[in-house]
């Protein structure tokens, strides 16, 4: 039989029902009140009400003009309420590098160094989020965010420049940046990097290349593997794609000293002697790692940078110049050659401008084994092939003529010199074999074979004399 609610009331005592309902309502109200108190739900509800009733705050997001575009928030503006989180994103121009996000007062430019109003999750990330923490409620504070950027370094000039006829072979390479504070250490290996090279390529200690103590501070700039010299962050090849290495024609790279001494601006690569061959294209690539530091961040090149030039396609025909010291009265002094006599003393040799005229009182020399000489002059190549690393001593003891090639005490790509402190011991078993009056002159040469003799101010060749009293032994 079907029971309805009405019939149930008829069969049930009304007082009983109402009493039970009252007890249920009391129980439910008591439980809800306890729940609200224990969970802080009242506060949450109040916050939701406050949030719903609050107005939106406009936060401008910008960047330095020309450095790039803010892509998030849209149109560079976030309309948010307190506790809202919004995205930050930036697309930099090719010549700018993103450094960080920073919150600031749009009215005064003051930078906020804490998270009182805005909390940027990761300021160093180009894509990050920001939370609106607190409304400043101060008409003198207008919250804003900007992307801080720095201009990437650029190569503004390099020499030699490319030209079809080629540049002088002895030209040093100079690469000028637009930043005076380029990081100088990036062309030298750290101890940790050297250890890694040892582990990876089995490089030995003796394979590392140490730079000049004055120009490079004795730092290690490269290493040799399979007879090829490798630089750190610098590549020198004959072709940008699988070209032959040309590093053997360059000394250790260094940064030209700058008066402010804050870093480097001009990178120098000095060519060796002899210099690169004729008619070769040279590609010098600097890795993207070349940088300067801005606010602790390395601001690098946009990409690897390559400069190129070409050496002379034909031999140059400019003769070298011989330079000799002057006397105390600043007169020309042709006292550039001395010979050691039997008393172990050095004496200057007399000279004459005529090969057939023997000067009076020429010194005699009676050692049959060796001749010991010293020189004091320098030679400069004014062409483009570079000065040779040796000079010639052309001599004649009738009826014999011969040429001796002697090394300079020191050479650069365009200059060679020697001085009194350097002795040249010449064995008579090979040279100066005959006896009699010996007449000779000094000849400077360059790497293209151009020659010039030591001459007086009237451009006449000078011949120097001494006498050999005995011939060399037959052995």
């Amino acid at each position: 039989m079907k029971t309805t609610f009405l019939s149930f009331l008829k069969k049930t005592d009304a007082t009983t029902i109402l009493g039970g309902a009252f007890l249920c309502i009391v129980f439910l109200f008591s439980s809800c009140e306890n729940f609200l108190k224990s969970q802080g739900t009242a506060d949450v509800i109040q916050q939701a009400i406050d949030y719903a009733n609050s107005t939106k705050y406009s936060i401008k997001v910008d960047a330095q003009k020309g450095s790039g575009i803010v892509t998030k928030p849209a149109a560079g503006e976030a309309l948010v309420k307190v506790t809202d989180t919004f995205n930050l994103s930036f697309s930099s121009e090719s010549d700018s590098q993103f450094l960080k996000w920073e919150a600031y007062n749009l009215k005064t430019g003051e930078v906020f160094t804490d998270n009182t109003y805005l909390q940027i999750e990761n300021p160093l990330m180009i894509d990050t989020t920001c939370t609106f923490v607190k409304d400043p409620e101060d008409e003198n504070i207008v919250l804003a965010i900007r992307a801080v950027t720095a201009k990437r370094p650029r190569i503004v000039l390099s020499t030699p420049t490319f030209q079809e006829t080629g540049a002088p072979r002895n030209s040093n390479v100079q690469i000028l940046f637009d930043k005076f504070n380029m990081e100088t250490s990036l062309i030298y290996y750290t101890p940790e990097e050297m250890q890694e090279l040892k582990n990876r390529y089995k490089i030995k200690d003796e394979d590392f290349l140490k730079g000049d103590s004055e120009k490079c501070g004795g730092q290690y700039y490269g290493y040799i593997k399979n007879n090829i010299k490798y630089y750190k962050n610098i590549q020198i090849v004959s072709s940008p794609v699988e070209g032959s290495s040309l590093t053997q024609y360059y000394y250790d790279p260094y940064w030209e000293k700058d008066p402010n001494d804050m870093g480097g601006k001009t990178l120098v690569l000095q060519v060796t002697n002899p210099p690169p061959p004729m008619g070769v294209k040279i590609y010098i690539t600097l890795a993207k790692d070349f940088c300067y530091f801005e606010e602790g961040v390395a601001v690098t090149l946009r990409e690897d940078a390559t400069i190129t030039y070409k050496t002379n396609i034909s031999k140059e025909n400019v003769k070298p110049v011989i330079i000799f010291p002057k006397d105390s009265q600043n007169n020309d002094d042709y006292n550039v050659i001395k010979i050691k006599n039997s008393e172990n003393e050095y004496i200057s040799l007399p000279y004459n401008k005529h090969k057939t005229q023997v000067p009076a009182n020429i010194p005699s020399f009676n050692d049959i084994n060796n001749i010991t000489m010293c020189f004091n002059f320098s030679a400069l190549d004014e062409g483009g092939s570079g000065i040779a690393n040796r000079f010639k001593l052309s001599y004649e003891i009738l009826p014999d003529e011969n040429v001796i090639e002697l090394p300079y005490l020191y050479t650069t790509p365009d200059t060679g010199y020697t001085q009194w402190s350097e002795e040249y011991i010449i064995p008579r078993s090979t040279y100066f074999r005959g006896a009699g009056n010996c007449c000779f002159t000094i000849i400077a040469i360059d790497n293209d074979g151009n020659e010039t003799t030591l001459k007086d101010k009237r451009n006449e060749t000078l011949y120097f004399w001494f006498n050999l009293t005995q011939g060399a032994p037959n052995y």
Side-chain angles (χ1 to χ4, degrees):
M1 180 178 178
K2 194 171 184 180
T3 302
T4 65
F5 181 69
L6 183 59
S7 62
F8 172 78
L9 286 176
K10 289 179 179 179
K11 295 179 179 180
T12 309
D13 184 85
T15 302
T16 303
I17 295 173
L18 292 174
F22 177 76
L23 289 174
C24 180
I25 292 171
V26 171
F27 173 77
L28 289 174
F29 180 80
S30 176
S31 298
C32 290
E33 185 179 28
N34 291 336
F35 173 76
L36 290 173
K37 289 181 179 178
S38 62
Q39 299 296 320
T41 306
D43 292 339
V44 173
I45 292 173
Q46 186 60 49
Q47 289 173 7
I49 294 172
D50 293 342
Y51 177 82
N53 293 331
S54 65
T55 58
K56 290 186 176 182
Y57 192 100
S58 173
I59 300 175
K60 299 290 185 182
V61 182
D62 58 9
Q64 184 179 357
K65 187 177 180 180
S67 64
I69 300 173
V70 173
T71 56
K72 292 180 183 179
E77 182 181 21
L79 292 173
V80 290
K81 296 182 178 183
V82 173
T83 72
D84 280 353
T85 295
F86 56 96
N87 292 323
L88 297 175
S89 186
F90 179 73
S91 177
S92 61
E93 293 292 330
S94 60
D95 63 345
S96 294
Q97 180 177 317
F98 173 82
L99 298 181
K100 64 179 181 180
W101 295 101
E102 68 180 13
Y104 71 104
N105 186 345
L106 189 61
K107 275 196 170 184
T108 64
E110 175 192 1
V111 176
F112 300 119
T113 57
D114 54 29
N115 298 325
T116 301
Y117 303 116
L118 296 168
Q119 182 175 352
I120 301 172
E121 182 182 11
N122 192 335
L124 300 182
M125 295 293 292
I126 199 168
D127 295 298
T128 188
T129 60
C130 178
T131 301
F132 184 20
V133 178
K134 178 183 177 182
D135 188 331
E137 298 179 352
D138 182 344
E139 63 180 12
N140 294 317
I141 297 178
V142 178
L143 298 180
I145 299 173
R146 60 187 165 209
V148 180
T149 62
K151 287 293 184 183
R152 294 187 183 276
R154 294 184 304 114
I155 295 174
V156 294
L157 178 67
S158 64
T159 57
T161 57
F162 184 86
Q163 48 189 325
E164 280 301 325
T165 55
R169 293 166 56 200
N170 65 338
S171 300
N172 292 331
V173 176
Q174 293 187 314
I175 302 173
L176 178 67
F177 291 85
D178 64 342
K179 303 294 182 182
F180 66 86
N181 56 338
M182 294 295 291
E183 176 59 33
T184 58
S185 64
L186 53 82
I187 60 174
Y188 308 117
Y189 287 112
T190 65
E192 293 76 16
E193 290 170 333
M194 293 172 66
Q195 187 59 51
E196 183 180 348
L197 288 169
K198 291 178 184 179
N199 298 337
R200 181 182 299 179
Y201 300 119
K202 308 302 179 185
I203 305 297
K204 300 176 182 177
D205 286 337
E206 56 268 27
D207 295 330
F208 285 100
L209 302 170
K210 192 172 186 179
D212 178 84
S213 58
E214 182 177 344
K215 295 176 179 177
C216 305
Q219 299 181 82
Y220 291 92
Y221 66 93
Y223 63 90
I224 293 178
K225 182 177 175 61
N226 297 328
N227 295 320
I228 298 176
K229 185 163 62 172
Y230 294 90
Y231 290 154
K232 180 183 177 182
N233 288 327
I234 303 174
Q235 184 184 59
I236 308 175
V237 293
S238 59
S239 169
V241 181
E242 298 182 355
S244 301
S245 173
L246 297 175
T247 50
Q248 70 267 31
Y249 295 110
Y250 297 86
Y251 293 118
D252 40 330
Y254 65 92
W255 293 92
E256 192 175 74
K257 295 294 184 183
D258 195 276
N260 57 45
D261 202 30
M262 292 183 66
K265 184 172 184 178
T266 303
L267 180 67
V268 180
L269 291 166
Q270 188 177 19
V271 297
T272 60
N273 191 356
M278 289 187 301
V280 61
K281 281 188 177 180
I282 300 171
Y283 295 83
I284 301 175
T285 299
L286 307 185
K288 180 184 176 181
D289 296 4
F290 275 79
C291 68
Y292 72 97
F293 280 89
E294 185 77 23
E295 298 193 18
V297 177
V299 184
T300 68
L301 295 171
R302 177 191 176 193
E303 56 189 5
D304 292 355
T306 299
I307 65 167
T308 183
Y309 72 99
K310 186 178 183 180
T311 58
N312 285 337
I313 58 176
S314 59
K315 290 185 177 181
E316 53 92 3
N317 57 8
V318 179
K319 293 183 177 181
V321 174
I322 297 178
I323 302 170
F324 44 84
K326 296 180 179 291
D327 63 18
S328 57
Q329 284 76 40
N330 202 31
N331 297 316
D332 291 328
D333 183 2
Y334 304 113
N335 178 26
V336 296
I337 306 173
K338 292 182 179 180
I339 189 170
K340 186 180 288 186
N341 61 17
S342 56
E343 284 75 35
N344 209 32
E345 298 173 334
Y346 275 110
I347 55 175
S348 297
L349 294 182
Y351 60 87
N352 197 306
K353 293 179 288 186
H354 301 287
K355 195 174 183 179
T356 57
Q357 295 180 4
V358 182
N361 301 319
I362 65 172
S364 294
F365 187 79
N366 57 15
D367 193 320
I368 63 172
N369 293 314
N370 301 296
I371 290 178
T372 303
M373 308 178 76
C374 62
F375 305 86
N376 187 19
F377 71 93
S378 60
L380 175 67
D381 177 57
E382 295 185 331
S385 64
I387 198 69
N389 55 17
R390 64 201 183 281
F391 64 96
K392 293 181 178 180
L393 198 63
S394 177
Y395 71 92
E396 176 182 298
I397 301 177
L398 295 176
D400 299 325
E401 292 187 27
N402 210 333
V403 174
I404 307 171
E405 292 191 356
L406 301 174
Y408 289 107
L409 176 65
Y410 179 77
T411 57
T412 67
D414 59 358
T415 305
Y417 73 85
T418 186
Q419 54 191 20
W420 297 134
S421 61
E422 181 79 354
E423 287 187 344
Y424 293 89
I425 301 175
I426 305 171
R428 292 195 62 194
S429 59
T430 306
Y431 305 102
F432 298 113
R433 291 191 56 81
N437 290 330
C438 176
C439 144
F440 62 92
T441 190
I442 295 172
I443 302 173
I445 56 178
D446 65 20
N447 287 307
D448 274 345
N450 299 301
E451 298 184 353
T452 190
T453 58
L454 177 59
K455 297 180 179 181
D456 64 11
K457 58 185 177 182
R458 294 184 179 180
N459 203 35
E460 295 185 277
T461 301
L462 296 175
Y463 296 95
F464 296 81
W465 294 82
F466 63 87
N467 177 261
L468 290 172
T469 60
Q470 305 176 68
N474 294 317
Y475 60 80

